């Protein structure tokens, strides 16, 4: 659990949890003195991070009616990115947690390090151009493993970005806080954020990402990510489901990824599954075909989904997350996998009658193929709420300037002071 950024973090957290709190109610909720709250709120108003809602109901003791406060959802935007080998997805998310715009860019097989870093930079520039408020942070989800401490991707499956100091390069270029985590972790943050907005915040979320190259697992518990020295990657794809099964590049046999990954799906339809651009494109096409009614495509994804269901039941028996969310890197892919997942769980229920509520705890990613990019932004928003001072220091004092101008205008009328320009 990250620590609060002093009193400011406690105040912003209170305002995020409950809209319309007055200053004295924030003091009660945080245990801070009214003077401390009042000073902090003035700074938040100066930076346009908080809006006044107008006077609330009068208290029974009479006196001035307290003014309710709320976070300004348009105070700033953050960028979320999902970097895959075959494409980069980016989005702008405002402080209110709403996606303002989405951008995607396909990447050609064999793209160089500079081509990927350049494409990421171009996308951030484009999102900043579209943004109507200041962009204050960047969150990046990628395939793992990742070294969180130094912000470097270490995936053997992603040679173009392997060992590249991506976070350092982005901080150097854009000068704003930047964080890099495994995509599944970022997606889990996003789901938790959506659930919190719906007032159903779960204590734990397991997010399962179906990708061309494998199957990843991200875990959030009590608001914090399960982080390992692999960047939080849960290599669900390398769970053994058949000791005598298909050989896996990890050195074992019968790994889930050999039956349920995008690559396994492409091969099950008799297509070449080598790591070519065409093979990754055919995964997207299979998802589209299934959606359009192609029986072979549907049955292949559903079968892969049954294997995935086997892995999900293991995740549930090991960790019992309150919510299990399934998402894929292509539109419609996860939807069809889910048919197979349900079939597997229903078969267990017919045989044993166990876990009747498991299906209710499993759902599709609410943001679809934007789940990781949205989650990467959500993680940065969550970080802001807990430790606001870094982003606060980046924001201009627009609220203070507006009040100063108002005061000046008022003074002008009263005192007939003439402002002249030279
Ligand atoms: Zn394996």
């Amino acid at each position: 659990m990250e620590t609060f950024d002093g009193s400011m973090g406690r105040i912003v957290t209170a305002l995020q949890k409950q809209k319309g709190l007055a200053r004295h109610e924030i003091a009660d909720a945080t245990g801070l003195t009214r003077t401390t709250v009042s000073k902090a709120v003035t700074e938040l108003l100066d930076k346009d991070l908080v809006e006044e809602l107008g006077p609330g109901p009068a208290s029974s003791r009479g006196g001035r009616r307290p003014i309710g406060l709320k976070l300004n959802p348009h105070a700033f935007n953050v960028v979320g990115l999902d970097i895959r080998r075959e494409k980069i997805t980016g989005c702008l998310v405002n402080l209110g947690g709403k996606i303002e715009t989405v951008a995607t860019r396909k990447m050609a097989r064999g793209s160089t390090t500079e081509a990927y870093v350049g494409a990421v930079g171009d996308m951030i520039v484009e999102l900043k151009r579209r943004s109507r408020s200041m962009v204050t942070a960047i969150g990046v989800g990628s395939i793992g493993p990742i070294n969180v401490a130094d912000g470097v991707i270490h995936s053997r499956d992603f040679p173009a970005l392997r060992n590249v100091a991506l976070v350092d390069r982005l901080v150097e270029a854009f000068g704003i806080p930047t964080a890099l985590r495994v995509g599944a972790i970022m997606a889990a943050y996003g789901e938790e954020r959506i659930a919190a907005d719906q007032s159903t915040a779960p204590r734990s979320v397991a997010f399962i990402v179906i990708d061309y190259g494998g199957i990843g697992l991200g875990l959030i518990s009590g608001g914090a990510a399960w982080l390992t020295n692999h960047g939080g990657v849960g290599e669900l794809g390398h769970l053994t489901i058949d000791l005598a099964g298909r050989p896996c590049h990890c050195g074992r046999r019968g790994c889930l990824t050999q039956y349920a990954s995008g690559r396994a799906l492409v091969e099950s339809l008799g297509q070449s599954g080598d790591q070519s651009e065409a093979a990754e494109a055919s995964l997207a096409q299979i998802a589209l075909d299934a959606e359009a009614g192609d029986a072979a495509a549907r049955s292949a994804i559903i079968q892969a989904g049954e294997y995935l269901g086997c892995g999900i039941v293991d995740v549930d028996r090991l960790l019992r997350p309150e919510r299990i969310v399934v998402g894929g890197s292509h539109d419609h892919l996860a939807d069809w996998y889910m048919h197979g997942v349900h079939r597997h769980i229903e078969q267990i229920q017919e045989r044993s009658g166990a876990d009747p509520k498991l299906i209710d705890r499993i759902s599709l990613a609410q943001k679809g193929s934007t789940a990781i990019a949205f989650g990467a932004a959500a993680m940065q928003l969550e970080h802001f709420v807990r430790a606001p001072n870094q982003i606060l220091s980046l924001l201009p004092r627009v609220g203070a300037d507006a009040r100063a101008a108002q005061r000046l205008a008022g003074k002008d009328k009263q005192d007939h002071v003439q402002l002249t320009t030279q």
Side-chain angles (χ1 to χ4, degrees), residues 32-86:
L32 296 164
T33 65
R34 291 191 185 194
T35 314
T36 304
V37 171
S38 184
K39 270 172 72 178
V41 167
T42 300
E43 189 179 351
L44 292 169
L45 286 166
D46 283 352
K47 299 293 179 84
D48 225 10
L49 264 161
V50 158
E51 294 170 329
E52 291 185 325
L53 290 173
S59 81
S60 53
R61 286 169 291 172
R64 272 200 311 170
R65 293 186 294 168
I67 293 169
L69 301 161
K70 75 184 249 295
L71 290 177
N72 171 11
H74 305 292
F76 62 81
N77 286 330
V78 295
V79 164
L81 296 175
D82 173 19
I83 304 178
R84 312 266 116 196
R85 280 173 303 240
E86 74 277 18

Side-chain angles (χ1 to χ4, degrees), residues 237-239 248-258:
H238 293 286
L239 194 80
C248 183
H249 60 82
C250 74
R252 304 209 297 173
R253 281 188 166 274
C255 290
L256 179 62
T257 192
Q258 298 300 329

Side-chain angles (χ1 to χ4, degrees), residues 2 26 50 85 115 143 150 159 187 231 246 255 265 299 370 387 394 401:
E2 285 134 308
I26 296 172
V50 158
R85 280 173 303 240
I143 54 175
D150 61 11
R246 297 172 191 166
C255 290
L265 174 59
S299 106
T370 314
L394 295 172
D401 290 346

Side-chain angles (χ1 to χ4, degrees), residues 77-411:
N77 286 330
V78 295
V79 164
L81 296 175
D82 173 19
I83 304 178
R84 312 266 116 196
R85 280 173 303 240
E86 74 277 18
K87 68 172 174 178
I88 300 168
T89 305
C91 64
L92 264 183
V93 179
N94 69 28
L95 178 56
K98 297 280 178 293
I99 294 181
E100 298 214 330
T101 184
V102 176
T104 56
R105 175 161 173 175
K106 285 188 179 166
M107 297 301 294
R109 171 168 166 76
S111 292
T112 61
T113 300
E114 290 316 308
Y116 272 102
V117 174
V120 167
D122 287 348
M123 182 166 283
I124 294 168
V125 169
E126 170 61 17
L127 291 169
K128 285 184 72 167
R129 192 187 63 75
R130 293 187 202 175
S131 182
R132 281 169 293 176
S133 56
M134 189 174 172
V135 171
T136 59
I138 302 166
V140 183
S142 164
I143 54 175
I146 279 167
N147 185 328
V148 170
D150 61 11
V152 175
I153 299 168
H154 289 290
S155 174
R156 280 181 307 174
D157 297 331
F158 204 166
L161 282 184
R162 190 178 184 200
N163 298 333
V164 175
L166 187 63
V167 168
D168 283 352
R169 291 184 66 168
L170 292 177
V171 168
E172 195 184 332
F174 296 102
I176 51 178
T178 302
L180 171 69
R181 301 281 187 278
V182 168
I185 287 275
M186 291 304 204
Y189 269 112
E191 285 295 325
E192 196 195 41
R193 165 91 199 195
I194 296 165
D197 287 347
Q198 294 163 348
S199 309
T200 54
R203 282 183 294 275
S204 49
V205 177
F207 196 105
I208 292 162
V209 173
I210 310 156
D211 194 12
Y212 178 79
I215 295 161
L217 170 69
L219 278 176
I220 299 275
S221 178
W226 175 262
L227 282 182
T228 66
N229 58 0
H230 276 185
V233 65
E235 296 200 52
L236 184 61
H238 293 286
L239 194 80
T240 303
I241 58 166
D242 183 357
L243 277 176
R246 297 172 191 166
C248 183
H249 60 82
C250 74
R252 304 209 297 173
R253 281 188 166 274
C255 290
L256 179 62
T257 192
Q258 298 300 329
Y259 304 85
S261 66
R263 179 180 177 150
L265 174 59
V266 169
E267 289 177 345
S268 76
L269 282 162
Q271 300 169 28
S272 168
D274 67 9
Q275 298 249 342
S276 73
E277 190 187 345
E280 296 196 357
S282 60
L283 174 62
Q285 189 57 48
I286 292 166
L288 291 173
D289 290 348
E291 193 62 18
D294 182 304
R298 283 189 180 185
S299 106
I301 306 188
I302 291 171
Q303 188 182 36
E306 285 189 71
Y307 283 113
L308 183 68
C310 183
I312 287 177
V313 171
D314 283 347
V315 166
D316 187 55
R317 292 192 174 165
L318 192 62
L319 302 166
R320 274 284 176 198
E322 210 169 304
R323 193 168 297 190
I324 299 172
V325 186
V326 180
S329 48
H330 297 285
D331 289 334
H332 314 303
L333 187 67
D335 314 33
W336 286 98
Y337 265 85
M338 197 65 107
H339 289 286
V341 169
H342 280 190
R343 187 182 287 181
H344 178 82
I345 293 169
E346 281 158 10
Q347 283 166 357
I348 301 174
Q349 285 172 358
E350 275 170 30
R351 288 196 295 268
S352 71
D355 295 338
K357 301 246 170 64
L358 175 56
I359 281 183
D360 297 339
R361 285 188 286 123
I362 304 174
S363 57
L364 284 165
Q366 300 203 43
K367 300 292 182 193
S369 55
T370 314
I372 292 173
F374 171 75
M379 183 220 158
Q380 287 291 36
L381 290 177
E382 183 64 28
H383 184 73
F384 162 73
V385 170
R386 288 162 188 249
N389 288 348
Q390 195 179 11
I391 284 181
L392 206 55
S393 69
L394 295 172
L395 294 168
R397 293 167 57 85
V398 282
D401 290 346
R403 282 203 302 282
Q406 270 171 11
R407 277 200 303 275
L408 211 54
K411 200 175 167 57

